[in-house]
Amino acid sequence: MEPITGYNYLAKEDDFVNTPISTGTTIVAVEWGDEKESGVVIGADSRTTSGTYVSNRFTDKLTHVTKNIYCCRSGSAADTQAIADIVAYHLGFLEVQTGEPPRVRVAAKLFQELCYNNRDSLSAGIICAGWDRYEGGQCYTIPLGGMCVRQPVATGGSGSTYVFGYVDQNYKKGMTKQECLTFVANYVSLAMSRDNASGGVVRLASISKNPIERFNLLGKDIPKHWQD
């Protein structure tokens, strides 16, 4: 006779075998600078989950769209990767036709169109952020359903619900690039410490008229807060 343990191992296996891969996650973008010089800092954790199973510890959720435009992805990994590829494809054609880099606003509207027109079949929350010579650094949030709003600080993912208070307390308009890097690093690390769907490493990037700068915070470099 097999022992009765009260634990259904087969059901647990089905949980992560059949559950769609999700980037249930923490993403954020912040505009920095002033009228003379501006840019954006974006950040995300690196954990990808399938139900309660961590399927990838080092996902890169900061996805290249053009030279100066990136998107932060949350929701279904397959859906968001497909959307980012389609937008990058269209913007590549646009750059060839116009002879100049695409505007961030145009990229955000393409993300919105795809997310809105397919809102019943997609699970995708996107932050589109970047720099162009017309409006400088910009952040646009495209949540589930396909709304598109420009915000000086845009947040998303399951981890964002734990750190709204941190944003309200610490965000201020006109921060420098270094202040935004610190703000985003603290934001993501705080969310990772509370949200079991967020974790891994902290990925950061600064986008401006200069070449993009990327940073990865590993292990002891990740800011500690209440854990100390």
Side-chain angles (χ1 to χ4, degrees):
M1 179 180 295
E2 295 183 1
I4 300 175
T5 63
Y7 188 89
N8 190 336
Y9 290 93
L10 182 59
K12 193 65 177 178
E13 180 181 357
D14 286 341
D15 176 47
F16 66 82
V17 170
N18 298 319
T19 302
I21 304 298
S22 169
T23 60
T25 188
T26 299
I27 54 176
V28 60
V30 186
E31 298 178 2
W32 61 265
D34 51 30
E35 295 180 356
K36 295 182 179 179
E37 183 180 10
S38 65
V40 295
V41 170
I42 57 177
D45 71 309
S46 66
R47 177 174 292 179
T48 294
T49 57
S50 180
T52 56
Y53 176 72
V54 178
S55 55
N56 191 336
R57 295 180 296 164
F58 300 110
T59 306
D60 189 358
K61 302 173 187 178
L62 309 181
T63 303
H64 173 272
V65 179
T66 71
K67 180 181 178 181
N68 288 323
I69 302 174
Y70 272 63
C71 73
C72 307
R73 302 180 294 108
S74 66
S76 165
D79 292 349
T80 55
Q81 287 170 351
I83 292 170
D85 288 344
I86 293 169
V87 171
Y89 173 82
H90 285 296
L91 292 180
F93 266 110
L94 180 63
E95 185 169 2
V96 171
Q97 291 173 336
T98 61
E100 65 176 31
R103 298 177 65 170
V104 183
R105 180 187 298 271
V106 173
K109 289 298 182 181
L110 280 173
F111 277 112
Q112 179 191 24
E113 182 179 11
L114 289 168
C115 291
Y116 179 78
N117 290 342
N118 301 281
R119 61 191 180 280
D120 293 330
S121 55
L122 293 179
S123 174
I126 304 287
I127 295 176
C128 179
W131 180 93
D132 61 52
R133 65 189 180 94
Y134 297 100
E135 298 182 76
Q138 302 149 69
C139 301
Y140 294 88
T141 181
I142 302 99
L144 294 174
M147 181 180 68
C148 181
V149 180
R150 180 178 177 180
Q151 296 178 309
V153 53
T155 64
S158 57
S160 66
T161 58
Y162 295 90
V163 282
F164 287 144
Y166 172 80
V167 175
D168 292 340
Q169 181 69 27
N170 294 278
Y171 172 76
K172 58 182 183 293
K173 188 176 180 180
M175 290 194 293
T176 65
K177 180 175 73 172
Q178 186 57 51
E179 287 174 331
C180 284
L181 285 168
T182 301
F183 174 87
V184 170
N186 287 333
Y187 174 94
V188 177
S189 61
L190 277 167
M192 287 167 51
S193 70
R194 295 291 187 183
D195 178 30
N196 66 352
S198 301
V201 305
V202 177
R203 300 192 188 275
L204 306 172
S206 176
I207 308 171
S208 64
K209 64 180 179 181
N210 302 315
I212 185 171
E213 300 175 273
R214 297 207 55 168
F215 311 90
N216 293 320
L217 304 184
L218 313 174
K220 64 181 181 180
D221 295 327
I222 297 175
K224 298 293 189 294
H225 305 280
W226 56 270
Q227 302 98 317
D228 291 338

